[in-house]
Amino acid sequence: MAEQVATNVHWHEGFVTREERKACMKQTGGTIWFTGLSASGKSTIATALEQVLCAQGSPVYRLDGDNIRMGLNKNLGFSAEDRAENIRRIGEVCKLFSDGGVVTLASFISPYKADRDAVRALHEDAGLPFIECYVEVPLEIAEDRDPKGLYKKARAGEIKGFTGIDDPYETPENAELVLHTGDESLEESVTRALASITERGLLS
Ligand code: ADP
């Protein structure tokens, strides 16, 4: 976890309480963190879920791996250190959105358990709902889908350190939700994700 570098900085408390914000947003908000291999279906599920939530009037925002790497995190690569910093920054952004009462859909491979646990701790320490959703799929199916041709490139040695090929994916052990996209349809996954965020109070 990054250390505080600046000195002489002080937290400036606002006047709006969490209860007041909830009343204003008409929901609690929180983060659902989709993790899994490339092509497991994280972005597909998150974009579909975002549409459903938006249509029912729930403030929602989606943060997606490649999109964030084209903006906020454009100065980061895929070394273990950069991956950790990538997830740390995104975790902080999710925490801010969640604190703002927005249902935040984060889809990131986030292969390392320590990085995911750090994002969870950020939320839990702030009293914000956090759902880790493991989007599970066998590597063979992900590789067969290969919508961006990345597995093909990784197998050809054109991409180094690709998760599942020559970089590890550490399987979540305590995920609140596991979606098996090799067996279940997109609709089923979206329905189950929606049920999970409802049960855990993000919409209430
Ligand atoms: P990720 O964000 O995990 O890298 P994507 O969502 O970009 O994955 O790609 C997943 C691919 O798998 C898409 O082409 C999608 O259409 C396909 N797919 C097939 N079955 C499913 C399913 N049940 N759930 C989600 N995606 C699926």
Side-chain angles (χ1 to χ4, degrees):
M1 199 40 66
E3 286 188 16
Q4 178 72 41
V5 175
T7 54
N8 294 314
V9 286
H10 302 274
W11 186 265
H12 197 129
E13 200 62 63
F15 296 113
V16 178
T17 65
R18 192 161 281 164
E19 282 311 309
E20 285 169 333
R21 198 179 304 281
K22 261 186 185 179
C24 174
M25 297 296 282
K26 300 186 177 58
Q27 67 178 22
T28 301
T31 296
I32 178 161
W33 185 275
F34 296 98
T35 171
L37 292 174
S38 179
S40 58
K42 302 178 294 299
S43 302
T44 304
I45 294 165
T47 47
L49 180 59
E50 181 183 37
Q51 248 186 331
V52 172
L53 287 166
C54 191
Q56 70 179 40
S58 301
V60 57
Y61 197 71
R62 188 174 52 82
L63 300 169
D64 192 279
D66 281 5
N67 301 3
I68 296 284
R69 282 185 177 277
M70 293 167 83
L72 176 67
N73 289 354
K74 63 173 19 169
N75 61 331
L76 299 178
F78 289 90
S79 66
E81 195 182 39
D82 279 6
R83 282 182 193 260
E85 178 60 10
N86 183 46
I87 298 305
R88 187 192 72 80
R89 288 185 198 170
I90 293 155
E92 294 281 0
V93 173
C94 287
K95 177 184 158 183
L96 294 175
F97 271 95
S98 292
D99 191 38
V102 175
V103 173
T104 312
L105 313 178
S107 13
F108 298 90
I109 297 173
S110 45
Y112 306 138
K113 183 176 181 300
D115 297 341
R116 297 190 303 262
D117 285 350
V119 178
R120 174 190 289 279
L122 263 184
H123 285 73
E124 289 180 352
D125 290 351
L128 296 165
F130 180 80
I131 300 170
E132 184 174 0
C133 176
Y134 175 30
V135 183
E136 185 278 333
V137 77
L139 177 63
E140 311 79 74
I141 296 183
E143 209 170 339
D144 195 44
R145 289 177 180 165
D146 206 11
K148 299 173 189 159
L150 298 176
Y151 283 101
K152 200 168 169 226
K153 282 191 181 169
R155 288 286 185 201
E158 292 166 26
I159 304 177
K160 300 283 177 210
F162 195 75
T163 301
I165 305 296
D166 57 350
D167 212 62
Y169 178 80
E170 297 173 1
T171 305
E173 285 156 13
N174 299 305
E176 279 79 6
L177 182 65
V178 183
L179 302 173
H180 303 280
T181 67
D183 297 326
E184 61 190 58
S185 69
L186 174 60
E187 291 69 27
E188 282 172 307
S189 293
V190 170
T191 301
R192 292 185 55 220
L194 184 61
S196 179
I197 62 177
T198 307
E199 274 162 26
R200 288 171 191 275
L202 278 70
L203 302 179
S204 59

